[in-house]
Amino acid sequence: MARNKEAVVLLLDVGPSMHSVLSEVESVCSMLVQKKLIFGKSDEVGVVLLGTDDTCNELQKEVGGYEHIVVLRNISVVDGNAVDFLQNLPRGNFRGDFIDAIVVGIDLLIKKFGPTNKGKQRICLMTDARYPIKAPYEGTKEDQVNTISQMMQTHGIRLDCIVIREKLPEADLRVMEENDNLLDQFSRKAIAKIVHVDSSTSLLGALKTRNISPVTVFRGDLELSSTMKIKVWVYKKTSEEKFPTLKKYSDKAPSSDKFATYEVKVDYEYKSMEDPDKVVPPEQRIRGYRYGPQVVPISSAEWEAVKFKPEKGVKLLGFTDASNILRHYYMKDVYIFVPEPGNKKAIVAVSAIARAMKDMNKSAILRCVWRQGQGNVVIGVLRPNISSVDNIPDSFYFNVLPFVEDVREFQFPSFSSFPSSWQPNEQQQEAADNLVKMLDLAPSSKEVLQPDYTPNPVLERFYHFLELKSKQPDADVPPLDGSLKRITEPNPAVFSHHKSVIDNFCKNFELKENPKKKKSSKRAWRGKPSTFSEKEEGVDGEASDIQSSNLMKDSSNINVEKIGNLNPVQDFEAMMARRDSSKWVSKAIKDMQNHVSDLLENSYDGDAYSKAIECLVALRKGCILEQEPKEFNRYLLGLYEKWKDTDLANFFELLSSKSLTLISQKEASDSNVTEEEAKNFPVKTELKF
C-alpha cells in the first residue's frame, strides 16, 4: 500500500431519530470523499448503514444476528460513485445498534487487509446513540466493549465517533448516559475520539475530511544555555489551508494516446528591446533592483553571498511577564514544542519549565532557525501548555513575533480624552451592552462556531462545485448551502427573537444611511471648505454637541501629502485621516501652522483673516481628536506673542469675538491649560509649556 494510503469505513445511523440531520450527514460524508478524490486518490472507502429496514452483511450470514445493518459499499478505492451513494442515503425505520455496526466495520477491515496497513485504518461512526444496545450473549456490555477495543488495538484500527444531538424531547436520558459511557470506554481502551455536536454547522467540521500527516519543522535541542539543552520536536499546530493548485491542461492530445497527461508546458523567452527577434540567453541576463532613479544590477552569485545564513538551532533569549506580549503581536502560524518522544528526561524537563512558567505567569523569548541554510531568523514567544490528560506530556505553544519593519502604526485617539458631549450617555451604553449580550456566541456555555468544528465555507463550496463540474461540465455555480450560510451570516432567528433590543439600540443612536461613494474627481475634491460657526464652538471654547465633525471625513480616495492653497482645510482633514504612517498627523499639524502663518504675514488690511480662522478651527479640532492640545496651544500663544504689538493685533480681537481660544483640560486631558485660562485668552498669557 502507498505510504499515506488510508482505509475508512463510514458507519452511518439512518434510523428514525436521525432523519432530521441526514441531509447534513450526506453533505459531510460526500465532502470527505470529494477531498479524497483530490488529495488521496489511492485511499479506500466503505459505507455501512445501521437502522435500515433490510439486513445485508457477511457476519449476519456467517453467525447470525447483526440485524438492520447494510453494507452499502464494500471497501474500495474512492470514485465518483461513492459520492452518489452518500448523497442519496435511504431512510430506515428501525433502531440501530452502534456496537454491532462497529463489529461489522472491523470485520470488513480485517478481511480486506488482514495484519497489514496498521495505523491507516479508520472507522467513522455517526449516530445519536439514543436507543439501548442489546445485551451480549456472554458477559456485560462493558466486557463486550473491552473485547472489541482489544481487537482494534491489535489491528491498528482507529475509531472516530460523532454523537449528534440537536433536540431530544422524548429521549431516555438514562439510556443516553449508558451509551455515552460505553463510547467513552472506547476512548480509554482503544485509539478512539468521541465528539458531541448539537448543530448541523458543528457537524460539518466534526469529521476530519482530510488526513494530514504531522511533519516536524525542527528536531533538535532547545538550548537554555551552552550546558543545558532539552531534546524537542516542533510541529505546526495551525496552518492556513490553501486552495488546491489548479494546473493548466489541454484537450488537444489524441484520444488514442493512453499515456497522455494533457498537461500544458510553458516556456519563456527573453528578447532584446533593441532587437525584438534576438533571444537573450540566461548567461546574459541579470536581476536589477531599483535604488532611487537607477537600477542596480546584482548577480545571482552576489545575491547568494549577501544572504544571511544563520546556524540552525533554537535558543532561549530570556523570560518576560506574559502581560508584556500583546495578542496583536502574534504572527503567522502557531507551532507546538513537544519533548522528544520516549525521552523521559526531556519530558520531565519540559514539564518542569512549563509549570514554572505557568505558576509565575511568564513567557519565554526564543531565537529560532528551523533548518540549515534558512535565510531568516525567527524571534518568537513560547507559552506553557499544561496537559490535562495523564498520558499526554506538557508542551509549549510558539508564536512568531514581529520585527520593527513588520509593525504597522495606526494612531487613534482615546475615547476617554473626548469631551463628555462626545461620549455615550448611560442609556446609549446600556443599549450597546444589550446588543452585545444578544449576539453572544456562548449563551449556554456551549460555544457556537468553534474553530475545531467550523469548516472554511469558501473551500467547502469550491470542493462541492468541483464535484458537480466533474459530472456536469456546463453546470452553473449553485447557491451557498444552508449549513455554510449559517457560518457566514448572522442567525436570523436571533435577530427576530430580540427585535426589541435592536429597536432600542436604533432609538438611542442616530443611524444614517451610508451612501456608496462615487469615484473621486477634481470637481468633487474642490468641495466647499469647512466654515466656522458659533454652533460648532461654544462660548467657552468647549466642543459642541455635534457627535461627529467633518474633520475625519474621507472625502476622496486621494492620499494628500501636503496642504495646498486651494482647499487647505480639506487637505488638512485628508492628511489627518491617513493611517498608513504615524508621520501624517504631525506633518499635517506642522503644515497647517505654516499655512496660517503665511496667510497672516501676507494679509493686506485683513483680507486673509477669515481664511486663517477657518484653518485655525480645523487645526484646533484636529489637535483635540489626536490628543495634541499642547501643539495647538503653543502655536496660538506664539502667534500672539509675535504679533500682539503689530498691525495684526486686531486679528486676535476677531479670535476673541469668535470664542476661538486655547484648548482646555476639559476638552483634552493632555492639556495643561485650565478652563479659566482658556476663557481669558488672550488677556492672560503667562502660561508655562
Side-chain angles (χ1 to χ4, degrees):
M1 294 187 67
R3 179 173 176 266
N4 291 321
K5 182 176 178 180
E6 183 188 44
V8 180
V9 175
L10 297 173
L11 307 182
L12 309 179
D13 190 344
V14 296
S17 60
M18 288 285 291
H19 289 181
S20 61
V21 295
L22 275 185
S23 57
E24 283 77 17
V25 171
E26 291 172 342
S27 297
V28 70
C29 293
S30 299
M31 186 59 63
L32 179 142
V33 175
Q34 291 165 15
K35 287 189 180 181
K36 287 190 176 297
L37 286 169
I38 299 173
F39 301 108
K41 292 178 285 187
S42 299
D43 288 358
E44 299 184 64
V45 174
V47 181
V48 176
L49 307 181
L50 57 146
T52 56
D53 297 343
D54 302 325
T55 300
C56 182
N57 62 82
E58 291 189 7
L59 281 180
Q60 193 271 336
K61 298 175 182 177
E62 293 172 359
V63 298
Y66 302 98
E67 297 177 346
H68 305 296
I69 297 177
V70 172
V71 177
L72 188 66
R73 171 189 166 94
N74 282 309
I75 301 173
S76 57
V77 177
V78 291
D79 53 25
N81 292 331
V83 179
D84 294 336
F85 278 125
L86 293 169
Q87 288 180 343
N88 299 282
L89 295 177
R91 272 52 176 170
N93 296 304
F94 290 84
R95 300 176 179 181
D97 189 319
F98 63 83
I99 296 292
D100 281 355
I102 291 174
V103 174
V104 171
I106 294 173
D107 180 66
L108 287 175
L109 290 169
I110 293 176
K111 289 179 178 176
K112 175 75 175 182
F113 301 108
T116 64
N117 202 37
K118 289 185 178 180
K120 295 182 174 62
Q121 304 175 53
R122 180 161 59 117
I123 292 176
C124 297
L125 170 65
M126 303 180 73
T127 180
D128 57 5
R130 281 184 57 180
Y131 301 116
I133 303 301
K134 65 175 181 290
Y137 295 114
E138 296 181 1
T140 63
K141 296 178 183 179
E142 288 75 14
D143 295 336
Q144 185 183 23
V145 170
N146 287 337
T147 303
I148 297 172
S149 299
Q150 183 61 43
M151 187 180 302
M152 294 173 63
Q153 288 273 30
T154 303
H155 292 272
I157 300 174
R158 293 180 293 122
L159 172 65
D160 291 341
C161 177
I162 301 174
V163 181
I164 310 164
R165 290 172 183 161
E166 287 189 305
K167 296 179 181 179
L168 304 173
E170 300 177 358
D172 189 331
L173 298 180
R174 183 187 58 79
V175 172
M176 289 195 301
E177 183 178 356
E178 180 186 28
N179 291 340
D180 290 345
N181 290 334
L182 293 175
L183 291 172
D184 289 339
Q185 190 174 341
F186 275 110
S187 63
R188 294 191 301 270
K189 300 292 185 179
I191 307 173
K193 179 181 178 182
I194 314 300
V195 176
H196 292 259
V197 299
D198 57 3
S199 68
S200 57
T201 303
S202 299
L203 174 60
L204 290 177
L207 179 64
K208 300 301 180 184
T209 54
R210 184 182 175 194
N211 186 30
I212 301 177
S213 300
V215 178
T216 55
V217 297
F218 176 82
R219 295 189 186 188
D221 295 329
L222 169 57
E223 300 183 31
L224 306 181
S225 68
S226 58
T227 58
M228 188 182 304
K229 303 176 182 179
I230 304 174
K231 293 290 184 182
V232 295
W233 288 12
V234 182
Y235 296 89
K236 277 192 176 184
K237 183 64 175 176
T238 62
S239 181
E240 182 184 359
E241 181 77 3
K242 305 286 187 180
F243 269 101
T245 304
L246 301 178
K247 297 181 179 180
K248 295 181 179 180
Y249 293 93
S250 172
D251 59 355
K252 301 302 181 183
S255 56
S256 57
D257 187 356
K258 297 181 179 179
F259 302 100
T261 62
Y262 300 98
E263 291 189 13
V264 176
K265 183 180 179 181
V266 180
D267 291 327
Y268 294 92
E269 286 187 344
Y270 295 84
K271 297 187 177 182
S272 171
M273 294 188 67
E274 290 78 10
D275 185 3
D277 296 329
K278 181 182 178 181
V279 177
V280 181
E283 60 271 12
Q284 297 181 12
R285 300 197 301 262
I286 191 171
R287 290 180 178 272
Y289 296 86
R290 285 203 172 275
Y291 188 76
Q294 61 181 337
V295 176
V296 180
I298 298 179
S299 66
S300 56
E302 292 172 324
W303 179 242
E304 190 64 28
V306 81
K307 279 184 177 179
F308 182 49
K309 299 177 181 178
E311 293 183 1
K312 174 185 176 181
V314 175
K315 296 183 179 181
L316 173 69
L317 301 182
F319 295 94
T320 184
D321 288 338
S323 59
N324 293 334
I325 309 297
L326 303 181
R327 178 63 184 85
H328 61 265
Y329 284 151
Y330 292 172
M331 296 178 63
K332 298 185 178 179
D333 306 323
V334 181
Y335 299 82
I336 184 169
F337 280 59
V338 299
E340 183 181 53
N343 188 332
K344 293 184 178 180
K345 292 183 178 180
I347 293 173
V348 172
V350 167
S351 179
I353 295 175
R355 292 174 185 271
M357 290 170 61
K358 181 75 172 179
D359 293 341
M360 301 172 67
N361 196 28
K362 295 286 185 178
S363 294
I365 305 299
L366 301 186
R367 168 262 197 204
C368 302
V369 179
W370 305 123
R371 61 185 182 278
Q372 196 66 38
Q374 181 176 314
N376 66 312
V377 174
V378 171
I379 302 295
V381 56
L382 199 69
R383 297 176 293 112
N385 175 38
I386 308 302
S387 174
S388 59
V389 183
D390 293 338
N391 58 349
I392 297 179
D394 297 333
S395 57
F396 298 103
Y397 285 134
F398 179 80
N399 287 88
V400 178
L401 294 177
F403 293 104
V404 64
E405 295 85 357
D406 305 319
V407 177
R408 300 294 180 263
E409 290 290 346
F410 300 101
Q411 295 184 354
F412 298 99
S414 171
F415 284 108
S416 61
S417 64
F418 288 171
S420 58
S421 58
W422 290 14
Q423 298 184 25
N425 55 39
E426 291 184 5
Q427 291 80 8
Q428 290 175 325
Q429 188 63 58
E430 183 181 1
D433 291 344
N434 291 334
L435 181 67
V436 173
K437 292 177 182 177
M438 179 195 83
L439 296 174
D440 186 6
L441 289 177
S444 58
S445 72
K446 182 68 174 179
E447 185 76 25
V448 183
L449 299 180
Q450 296 183 56
D452 285 344
Y453 305 127
T454 305
N456 186 332
V458 178
L459 290 175
E460 298 293 308
R461 190 184 193 198
F462 170 75
Y463 294 134
H464 176 62
F465 178 65
L466 191 62
E467 187 272 334
L468 179 64
K469 195 79 172 175
S470 68
K471 299 176 180 178
Q472 305 176 29
D474 299 329
D476 295 328
V477 178
L480 189 65
D481 182 76
S483 298
L484 297 178
K485 188 177 291 187
R486 285 191 285 272
I487 299 174
T488 59
E489 297 179 2
N491 189 346
V494 173
F495 279 82
S496 60
H497 184 67
H498 297 90
K499 187 176 184 300
S500 60
V501 176
I502 299 174
D503 292 341
N504 186 45
F505 182 84
C506 297
K507 184 177 68 175
N508 280 279
F509 291 89
E510 183 183 0
L511 302 181
K512 296 181 179 180
E513 183 179 356
N514 186 16
K516 187 176 181 181
K517 291 183 179 180
K518 297 181 179 179
K519 291 185 178 180
S520 61
S521 63
K522 291 184 178 179
R523 180 175 295 181
W525 181 245
R526 296 171 183 168
K528 185 181 290 186
S530 301
T531 58
F532 178 83
S533 68
E534 294 183 359
K535 291 182 180 179
E536 294 178 347
E537 288 286 333
V539 179
D540 56 355
E542 181 181 348
S544 71
D545 290 338
I546 299 175
Q547 302 238 344
S548 60
S549 69
N550 290 330
L551 180 63
M552 295 302 176
K553 188 176 292 183
D554 188 9
S555 58
S556 132
N557 293 327
I558 300 175
N559 286 332
V560 180
E561 298 184 355
K562 64 179 181 179
I563 293 177
N565 295 323
L566 185 61
N567 291 305
V569 172
Q570 279 83 350
D571 293 345
F572 173 73
E573 293 172 353
M575 288 178 68
M576 294 288 280
R578 290 187 64 170
R579 288 294 181 262
D580 53 332
S581 174
S582 58
K583 71 177 183 179
W584 295 114
V585 172
S586 57
K587 179 173 171 48
I589 293 174
K590 188 68 177 176
D591 286 1
M592 183 57 91
Q593 291 174 351
N594 294 336
H595 184 74
V596 172
S597 298
D598 291 342
L599 286 174
L600 294 177
E601 288 177 354
N602 298 319
S603 175
Y604 176 74
D605 199 19
D607 61 342
Y609 285 0
S610 61
K611 195 163 188 177
I613 289 178
E614 288 179 8
C615 294
L616 278 175
V617 169
L619 178 62
R620 190 178 192 277
K621 291 182 179 180
C623 288
I624 293 175
L625 288 173
E626 295 296 338
Q627 300 181 0
E628 297 287 352
K630 294 180 181 179
E631 282 291 326
F632 179 83
N633 293 342
R634 186 184 297 113
Y635 174 69
L636 192 58
L637 284 170
L639 281 182
Y640 180 73
E641 291 296 328
K642 182 178 181 181
W643 288 321
K644 65 180 179 179
D645 298 325
T646 66
D647 294 340
L648 294 176
N650 56 349
F651 172 73
F652 296 98
E653 295 177 3
L654 182 60
L655 287 185
S656 181
S657 67
K658 295 288 187 180
S659 298
L660 183 57
T661 182
L662 301 172
I663 300 174
S664 67
Q665 293 174 345
K666 185 177 180 181
E667 297 173 284
S669 58
D670 290 345
S671 174
N672 52 5
V673 176
T674 65
E675 189 174 358
E676 188 66 24
E677 289 170 338
K679 284 183 179 181
N680 293 333
F681 176 80
V683 178
K684 294 182 180 180
T685 60
E686 297 179 0
L687 304 174
K688 295 180 181 180
F689 290 92

